[in-house]
Amino acid sequence: MNILLIGSGGREHTFSWKMSQSPLCTQLFIAPGNAGTAQHGTNLPLDIANFEAVKTIILERDIKMVVVGPEAPLVQGIYDFIENDTALNGVMVIGPAKSGAILEGSKAFSKAFMAEYGIPTAGYQEFSLAELEAGMNYIDTQTPPIVLKADGLAAGKGVLIINDREEAKVALKKMLEGQFGAASSKVVIEEFLDGIEFSVFTLTDGKDYKILPIAKDYKRIGEGDTGLNTGGMGCVSPVPFVDAELMKKVEERIIKPTIKGIQARGMTYKGFVFFGIIRVKNEPFVIEYNCRMGDPETEVVFPRLKNDLVKLMTAMSNGELSNQTIEIDERSATAVFLVSGGYPEKYEKGKEIRNLDQVKNTLVFHAGTKAVDNKIVTNGGRVIALTALGDTMEAALAISNQNATIIDFDGKNYRTDIGFDLV
Ligand code: AMP
Ligand code: GLY
C-alpha cells in the first residue's frame, strides 16, 4: 500500500527509515519531509495545517495509510477530517481522533482524566482569567517552585517553573492575559515534583496496548543538564534506572487505567500514547501525555523495535493489536544531536553539512536539513541525530560521540555527556 507520513523532523526521518523496510509499504510519501526522509521515499510540499491539501495528496497518490508525526494536526482533528470524508473511505489514519488527542491538547482535560481514573500525577488546580485572584491566592498556598502550564498547545513553551511566588503571580497574569494566545486562556497550576524523568511509549487501538522500548531524553542545551530547554539534545534507550519493578508500577498504575479511561470515555484512539513520567522516590507520576511519538525518543526507540512497523500500525488501525507481539533488540541505543550554533536562541541556517558519508556503525537521522544544489545544508536548530547500538549504553554512546566529531558544519554544537547521570 502507499503511505503518507506527515512531518519533517528527526522523528519523521526515523519513521520513514523504519516503514520503508516493510514489504507492506509500496510507495512512501513524506510531507513536507527533509533531506533524510527523501532517502526513503518522495517528499511532497505541504502546509500540514491544510487538511484539504492532505486530501489532495491522498487521492492523487492512492494513499491507504496516513501516519501523523506531530501533535498539532491530531489535536486539530486530522483523523476526524479523513474519517468523515466519504471520498477518503478506508484510509487508515495512525494517530488518535480529536477526542483522544485532547489528552495532549488540553492540560486541564488530562489532569481531570487522570484524577478520574486514579492515575498518579502532581496535585493541581486550573484557573481562567476570571479566576485570576483565586489563582493568585492558590499560589500563596503552594511551596515554590510553582509550575504553571498553559492549557493548550504552545509549541513546547507553555510550561513555566518559577521559584518565587510573587514572580509566579505576575507570570500567571501574563499567561491568562494571552501570552500564548488561546492556549493560555486557562492555566493549570501544579505541584512541583522533584525526580528524574523518562518516556514510555505504547501503541493502542483503543482497547489493547503494546509497550514499546522506553527512553530518556536530554532537553537542556548545556553539559550536565544546564542552560535553556531545547527540543532534545540526545537520548538513550533503555533507561538503566527503570527496572522491572518500576515498569510494573507504570503499567499497572498508569498505562492500564489510561487505556481503560480511553475506552470508557469512548475516545477514538488508534495511535501512540507517550507517557512523560517522573520517578519520585521510586514511584512513577505522569508529567504529561502526548498523543504521538517523542522526538528525539523515536530515534532510539524504533532502532530497537524488531517488528515490521507497518504491520503493527495496520493491526492497530484494524483493532487487532492483541494479536501482535512486540520484539525488542536487547542492545542499547543512544542518539547524540548535532545542533546549529546559537540554538535554542538565534541561529543561522543554510550551512553545508560535510562528511555525511564518513560515519561508521551509525544511523544518521536528519531533522533540520535540506538538499540544495546537490549539497545537504542545515535548515533548523536541531540538525542531525546520530544513533548507535551497542551491547551497553556506554558502548553505544562511544560510537555516537565518535561520529559526532566526524559530521561537520559551521557552528556545529552538541553535548558530549548524554547519559552522564545514568552511569
Ligand atoms: P510538559 O510540557 O508538561 O512536559 O512540561 C515540560 C517540562 O517541565 C517537563 O518535561 C518537566 O521537566 C517539567 N515539569 C512539568 N511539570 C512538572 C512538575 N509538576 N514538576 C516538575 N517538573 C515539571
Ligand atoms: N522529547 C519530548 C517530546 O517529544 O515531547
Side-chain angles (χ1 to χ4, degrees):
M1 81 186 133
N2 292 350
I3 302 176
L4 172 64
L5 169 65
I6 294 180
S8 61
R11 169 181 51 211
E12 285 75 24
H13 185 185
T14 314
F15 264 93
S16 69
W17 165 78
K18 185 74 180 154
M19 291 194 298
S20 66
Q21 295 167 27
S22 169
L24 299 172
C25 178
T26 313
Q27 275 190 289
L28 177 61
F29 297 92
I30 310 95
N34 61 34
T37 62
Q39 298 165 11
H40 307 293
T42 306
N43 286 351
L44 300 171
L46 175 76
D47 163 9
I48 63 173
N50 182 348
F51 295 169
E52 287 296 337
V54 173
K55 177 177 173 179
T56 304
I57 295 177
I58 294 173
L59 294 174
E60 281 180 6
R61 309 285 176 163
D62 192 23
I63 302 292
K64 292 287 181 266
M65 175 186 275
V66 178
V67 180
V68 187
E71 65 277 9
L74 293 165
V75 172
Q76 286 152 13
I78 193 167
Y79 183 105
D80 312 74
F81 174 87
I82 293 173
E83 189 72 11
N84 295 335
D85 190 323
T86 48
L88 304 178
N89 242 340
V91 175
M92 292 181 267
V93 183
I94 304 305
K98 218 171 175 172
S99 63
I102 192 170
L103 276 178
E104 175 167 2
S106 167
K107 302 273 191 205
F109 178 94
S110 72
K111 296 300 282 190
F113 177 94
M114 285 186 265
E116 179 170 349
Y117 296 100
I119 296 164
T121 188
Y124 83 107
Q125 281 202 25
E126 61 179 88
F127 300 94
S128 64
L129 185 56
E131 298 157 328
L132 177 61
E133 207 179 313
M136 294 198 174
N137 292 338
Y138 183 72
I139 289 174
D140 276 330
T141 68
Q142 300 296 299
T143 311
I146 310 287
V147 182
L148 304 176
K149 296 188 171 184
D151 176 49
L153 295 185
K157 299 192 176 4
V159 176
L160 302 181
I161 299 179
I162 300 175
N163 272 316
D164 176 87
R165 287 199 192 93
E166 295 312 311
E167 270 178 43
K169 289 180 193 172
V170 173
L172 173 66
K173 182 161 185 283
K174 235 171 106 183
M175 285 174 92
L176 289 171
E177 285 174 348
Q179 182 181 7
F180 300 104
S184 63
S185 61
K186 241 191 281 179
V187 171
V188 164
I189 305 181
E190 73 177 34
E191 170 199 3
F192 179 81
L193 298 175
D194 194 6
I196 184 161
E197 289 176 64
F198 58 102
S199 306
V200 175
F201 301 94
T202 61
L203 289 150
T204 186
D205 55 14
K207 317 185 294 274
D208 295 296
Y209 65 87
K210 296 288 168 187
I211 303 177
L212 296 174
I214 61 166
K216 173 168 175 57
D217 81 342
Y218 289 80
K219 290 201 173 88
R220 302 296 191 95
I221 186 73
E223 308 270 323
D225 263 340
T226 54
L228 294 173
N229 255 325
T230 71
M233 296 295 291
C235 213
V236 303
S237 173
V239 184
F241 68 82
V242 185
D243 56 14
E245 186 195 343
L246 182 56
M247 234 2 245
K248 186 149 175 51
K249 290 178 185 170
V250 169
E251 184 166 6
E252 294 301 322
R253 299 177 193 172
I254 294 172
I255 299 175
K256 282 187 182 167
T258 299
I259 305 301
K260 189 176 142 229
I262 286 174
Q263 197 172 13
R265 288 200 177 194
M267 294 152 79
T268 301
Y269 210 120
K270 292 168 192 299
F272 299 93
V273 189
F274 167 173
F275 303 82
I277 312 268
I278 190 164
R279 182 193 70 168
V280 183
K281 299 195 183 81
N282 223 32
E283 305 299 331
F285 293 81
V286 176
I287 287 279
E288 63 165 349
Y289 288 113
N290 293 304
C291 63
R292 51 165 175 85
M293 282 299 290
D295 196 347
E297 287 94 333
T298 306
E299 289 91 310
V300 291
V301 170
F302 283 178
R304 296 188 59 223
L305 178 69
K306 291 190 190 164
N307 299 66
D308 175 336
L309 180 61
V310 178
K311 188 170 165 207
L312 270 184
M313 294 193 298
T314 304
M316 178 166 80
S317 185
N318 292 335
E320 294 166 353
L321 200 53
S322 62
N323 301 335
Q324 301 296 312
T325 306
I326 299 290
E327 289 173 62
I328 296 176
D329 186 329
E330 291 305 322
R331 289 177 297 169
S332 280
T334 60
V336 170
F337 238 107
L338 307 182
V339 305
S340 297
Y343 172 79
E345 296 185 284
K346 216 166 133 329
Y347 59 86
E348 290 176 11
K349 296 182 186 177
K351 309 288 180 198
E352 182 181 354
I353 304 170
R354 299 179 287 267
N355 305 337
L356 279 164
D357 55 351
Q358 315 257 316
V359 297
K360 289 195 188 74
N361 304 321
T362 301
L363 296 160
V364 178
F365 292 124
H366 293 226
T369 70
K370 178 162 101 167
V372 178
D373 303 334
N374 292 325
K375 287 182 192 159
I376 311 268
V377 302
T378 64
N379 191 39
R382 290 158 78 237
V383 177
I384 277 176
L386 294 163
T387 298
L389 287 156
D391 289 334
T392 61
M393 184 182 78
E394 290 84 345
L397 278 169
I399 303 171
S400 292
N401 287 326
Q402 165 61 20
N403 284 287
T405 66
I406 295 174
I407 294 187
D408 206 20
F409 49 87
D410 292 352
K412 175 182 79 172
N413 184 25
Y414 62 97
R415 275 179 61 173
T416 60
D417 71 339
I418 300 306
F420 77 102
D421 54 343
L422 304 177
V423 287

